C-alpha cells in the first residue's frame, strides 16, 4: 500500500506486514532481508518506511503488568499512549514524558526517544525506561537495560528502530492527584523576552511557547509562553468536575486546498492568535494542555495533497539567541512561515546515542511542500550546522548525511553497535538509507 509519515511526504509504495507473536516474528525476519517496524505512523518523514517490508506493530498491544505502589508498568511495544492514559489517569497516574500527541505507540516513543514540555525537568522518555526486550535480526531476543546490554540499550533509545524490533518495555508512570493542569500564560513581545521568560520558568514542570515565525523587526520572535503544573485537588474550583468531559474531535476533510495556507493567511492567523493569548492563570484539562491538535483528527490534511515537512532543530544554549534569530529572519524572508511554530528550552542531553535533545533551545515548525521548500530547508540546515545544532530524526524528511554526522557526535559509536548486533543490516528505512545509517 501507499504509505507516508504524518507529514505526507514522501509517499511510497510499501509491502506491509503485521507483527505477531515472537515465534511468528522470528520467521518473518528470516523471510525478509530488509524491514522496519512501524507503530501509528506519527514520525513525520521517512523513518518508518521501507518499500521491501514495513512491519506494523499495532496488534502487539497488551499491558502485561502494573505495580500500583510504584507506577511501574510493562507493556508490549504496540500499546498506544492513549491507552496508557485512558487506563491509568483515572487511577492517578500519568506518563512521565509525553510528546504533543497521544496517538503514538510505546515502541515508537522509545525509538524516537521523545521529549515533551518538561524536558528541562524529566529529560526524554528513554530516561524513564528501565528495560526493554529487543528482537535482533537473527531472531534472538535480548533484554536490554542500563545494566544488561547497556550499549544496545543506549543505541535503541533514539535509534529509530535500526537496532531491532522492540517487543516490550518497562517504565514508570508518575503520580498525579487530578487530570487537570494549572496553566499560566505569558505574552512575550520578542525573542529576548520569551527566552528570559523560559529562564524565569525553570521551576515549572511544563513550559512551551508558541512563536510567531512571520513577525519581524521589533516583533521578531513574539510569543505566547504556556507553563503548567499538574493541578492538586485543592487547586480546583468547587464548580469544576472531578474529570474533564470527553470531547468529540473534529476531522479535517480528505480534500483540503493547500493554497489556503500562504504568507497572508498564516500571517493573519498568527496576528490574531497572538492578540487573543490573554495573560493569566486558569485550570485546563490535560488534553487541552498536552494534545491540542488531537482534537482535530487528520489535521495533517490541512497542507493539501503535497503534504508538508516539520522542521525541528536544537541549538546549544549559548548560541540559541543569535541562531534562532537568524533562523526566524530567514523563514520570514522566504514567506513560508508556519502557524504551528513551537519553542522549548531543553535541559541536558538525552541518554541515547542518537537522542535529539541537547542543552539549548529547540524550534519546531511546519512548511508545506512546495517548490521553494527544499531550498529553504537547505538554508536552515546551514544555519543550524554553523551554530553547532542538530535536526530531529523523527521529524526529518530531507536532511543530508553530512548534517547527521556533524550534529550527532556519537554517530560512529551507534554505527559500531548497530553493525555488531546486526551485521546483515536487516533493519533499514528510507531515512537510514538516505542518511547512510
Amino acid at each position: 500500500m501507499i504509505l507516508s509519515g504524518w507529514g505526507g511526504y514522501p509517499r511510497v509504495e510499501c509491502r506491509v506486514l503485521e507483527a505477531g507473536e515472537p515465534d511468528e516474528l522470528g520467521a518473518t525476519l528470516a523471510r525478509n532481508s530488509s524491514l522496519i517496524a512501524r507503530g501509528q505512523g506519527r514520525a513525520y518523514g521517512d523513518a518508518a518506511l521501507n518499500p521491501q517490508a514495513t512491519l506494523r506493530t499495532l496488534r502487539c498491544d497488551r499491558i502485561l503488568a502494573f505495580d500500583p505502589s510504584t507506577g511501574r508498568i510493562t507493556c508490549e511495544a504496540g500499546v498506544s499512549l492513549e491507552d496508557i492514559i485512558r487506563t491509568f489517569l483515572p487511577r492517578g497516574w500519568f506518563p512521565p514524558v509525553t510528546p504533543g500527541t497521544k496517538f503514538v505507540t510505546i515502541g515508537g516513543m522509545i525509538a524516537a526517544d521523545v521529549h515533551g514540555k518538561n524536558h528541562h525537568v524529566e529529560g526524554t522518555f528513554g530516561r524513564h525506561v528501565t528495560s526493554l526486550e529487543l528482537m535482533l535480526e537473527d531472531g534472538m531476543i535480548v533484554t536490554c537495560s542500563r545494566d544488561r546490554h547497556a550499549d544496545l540499550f543506549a543505541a535503541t533509545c533514539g535509534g529509530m528502530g535500526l537496532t531491532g524490533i522492540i517487543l516490550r518495555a518497562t517504565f514508570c508512570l508518575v503520580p498525579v492527584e487530578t487530570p487537570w493542569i494549572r496553566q499560566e500564560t505569558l505574552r512575550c513581545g520578542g525573542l529576548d523576552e520569551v527566552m528570559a521568560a523560559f529562564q524565569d520558568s525553570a521551576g515549572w514542570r511544563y513550559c512551551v511557547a508558541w512563536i510567531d515565525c512571520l513577525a519581524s523587526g521589533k516583533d521578531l520572535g513574539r510569543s505566547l509562553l504556556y507553563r503548567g503544573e499538574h493541578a492538586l485537588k485543592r487547586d480546583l474550583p468547587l464548580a469544576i468536575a472531578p474529570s474533564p468531559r470527553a470531547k468529540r474531535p473534529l476531522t479535517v476533510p480528505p480534500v483540503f486546498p493547500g493554497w489556503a495556507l500562504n504568507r497572508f493567511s498564516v500571517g493573519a492567523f498568527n496576528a490574531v492568535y497572538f492578540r487573543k493569548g490573554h495573560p493569566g492563570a486558569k485550570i485546563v484539562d490535560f488534553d487541552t494542555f498536552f494534545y491540542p491538535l488531537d482534537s482535530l483528527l487528520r489535521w495533517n490534511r490541512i497542507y493539501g495533497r503535497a503534504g508538508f515537512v516539520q522542521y525541528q532543530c536544537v541549538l546549544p544554549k549559548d548560541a540559541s539567541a543569535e541562531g534562532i534569530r537568524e533562523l526566524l529572519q530567514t523563514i520570514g524572508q522566504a514567506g513560508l512561515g508556519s502557524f504551528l511554530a513551537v519553542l522549548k528550552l531543553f535541559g541536558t542531553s538525552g541518554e541515547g546515542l542518537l537522542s535529539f535533545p541537547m542543552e539549548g533551545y529547540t524550534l519546531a515548525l511546519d512548511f508545506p511542500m512546495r517548490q521553494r521548500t527544499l531550498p529553504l530547508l537547505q538554508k536552515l540546515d546551514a544555519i543550524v550546522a554553523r551554530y553547532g545544532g542538530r535536526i530531529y530524526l523523527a521529524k526529518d524528511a530531507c536532511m543530508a548525511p553530512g548534517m547527521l554526522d556533524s550534529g550527532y557526535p556519537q554517530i560512529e559509536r551507534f554505527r559500531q553497535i548497530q553493525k555488531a548486533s546486526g551485521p546483515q543490516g536487516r533493519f533499514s528505512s528510507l531515512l537510514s538509507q538516505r542518511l547512510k545509517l
Side-chain angles (χ1 to χ4, degrees):
M1 65 177 65
I2 301 297
L3 290 181
S4 72
W6 186 246
Y9 173 86
R11 299 177 188 271
V12 294
E13 186 173 358
C14 297
R15 178 168 159 263
V16 178
L17 309 174
E18 299 288 346
E21 295 297 324
D23 55 342
E24 299 172 353
L25 192 52
T28 298
L29 272 175
R31 291 193 298 268
N32 292 275
S33 60
S34 178
L35 82 165
I36 195 69
R38 177 186 174 98
Q40 296 209 21
R42 284 299 183 114
Y44 280 70
D46 51 4
L49 301 176
N50 184 322
Q52 290 182 252
T54 298
L55 181 73
R56 293 198 293 202
T57 63
L58 298 182
R59 292 182 181 176
C60 305
D61 61 351
R62 292 174 294 188
I63 296 174
L64 304 172
F66 180 69
D67 184 345
S69 66
T70 64
R72 178 168 292 190
I73 180 174
T74 299
C75 66
E76 293 181 325
V79 170
S80 73
L81 186 59
E82 181 187 26
D83 290 337
I84 297 291
I85 294 171
R86 184 174 60 245
T87 302
F88 293 103
L89 183 55
R91 304 177 185 181
W93 298 95
F94 195 74
V97 172
T98 173
T101 175
K102 58 183 179 293
F103 301 136
V104 291
T105 61
I106 298 302
M109 290 174 65
I110 296 171
D113 199 13
V114 297
H115 55 271
K117 299 175 176 67
N118 61 341
H119 183 272
H120 61 293
V121 176
E122 296 290 355
T124 62
F125 185 70
R127 175 181 171 184
H128 303 272
V129 176
T130 56
S131 67
L132 58 88
E133 286 188 6
L134 188 71
M135 179 173 284
L136 306 182
E137 66 177 23
D138 61 0
M140 179 180 178
I141 299 175
V142 296
T143 299
C144 305
S145 68
R146 291 169 184 82
D147 301 317
R148 300 176 61 188
H149 302 287
D151 280 355
L152 197 52
F153 182 81
T156 300
C157 292
M160 304 309 296
L162 300 175
T163 59
I165 300 172
I166 300 170
L167 301 180
R168 60 179 61 180
T170 299
F171 57 97
C172 287
L173 303 175
V174 296
V176 296
E177 284 192 20
T178 78
W180 298 92
I181 300 295
R182 178 168 54 86
Q183 175 184 290
E184 187 171 297
T185 303
L186 305 178
R187 183 184 286 166
C188 304
L191 189 59
D192 291 339
E193 190 175 335
V194 70
M195 286 185 166
F198 270 109
Q199 296 296 331
D200 293 342
S201 303
W204 288 73
R205 177 174 291 271
Y206 301 104
C207 197
V208 64
W210 168 87
I211 188 167
D212 184 352
C213 60
L214 286 182
S216 59
K218 63 179 179 59
D219 293 329
L220 182 75
R222 66 181 181 181
S223 309
L224 298 173
L225 185 140
Y226 303 97
R227 53 195 189 184
E229 297 282 353
H230 290 285
L232 304 177
K233 291 179 180 178
R234 67 171 181 264
D235 297 327
L236 302 183
L238 293 177
I240 203 167
S243 297
R245 180 179 300 177
K247 301 175 183 177
R248 184 174 182 177
L250 302 175
T251 302
V252 176
V255 180
F256 196 92
W259 52 261
L261 293 179
N262 54 60
R263 182 187 187 99
F264 304 104
S265 62
V266 173
F269 172 88
N270 287 357
V272 171
Y273 190 86
F274 181 75
R275 287 197 299 270
K276 286 185 173 294
H278 300 297
K282 62 180 178 179
I283 299 294
V284 300
D285 62 87
F286 74 93
D287 267 317
T288 297
F289 187 81
F290 292 107
Y291 315 114
L293 286 175
D294 283 355
S295 63
L296 188 61
L297 301 180
R298 299 305 304 271
W299 63 262
N300 55 345
R301 292 172 174 171
I302 291 174
Y303 290 90
R305 295 184 183 278
F308 70 101
V309 293
Q310 183 166 103
Y311 189 87
Q312 184 166 6
C313 64
V314 59
L315 301 180
K317 192 173 183 180
D318 59 359
S320 288
E322 185 178 352
I324 290 177
R325 183 171 285 106
E326 187 172 345
L327 288 170
L328 292 175
Q329 290 170 342
T330 303
I331 292 166
Q333 291 166 4
L336 284 174
S338 165
F339 61 87
L340 297 174
V342 173
L343 185 70
K344 290 197 288 279
L345 176 59
F346 282 155
T348 57
S349 298
E351 294 185 48
L353 300 181
L354 296 187
S355 293
F356 168 64
M358 66 167 72
E359 187 176 10
Y361 284 87
T362 177
L363 177 68
L365 27 73
D366 299 337
F367 297 110
M369 277 307 301
R370 294 176 184 161
Q371 189 173 2
R372 295 177 293 156
T373 302
L374 293 180
L376 172 61
L377 297 183
Q378 291 170 358
K379 291 181 181 179
L380 300 183
D381 281 354
I383 296 170
V384 171
R386 190 166 69 251
Y387 286 97
R390 62 174 68 126
I391 306 299
Y392 192 15
L393 296 179
K395 307 289 182 70
D396 175 56
C398 307
M399 178 171 48
M403 186 74 183
L404 173 75
D405 291 352
S406 65
Y408 287 85
Q410 300 196 79
I411 184 66
E412 286 308 318
R413 185 180 171 209
F414 174 85
R415 287 186 171 116
Q416 292 168 5
I417 297 169
Q418 180 190 31
K419 186 174 182 179
S421 62
Q424 299 180 48
R426 195 179 300 268
F427 300 109
S428 174
S429 64
L430 290 183
L431 177 138
S432 70
Q433 294 165 22
R434 171 169 54 85
L435 296 179
K436 299 178 172 53
L437 264 174

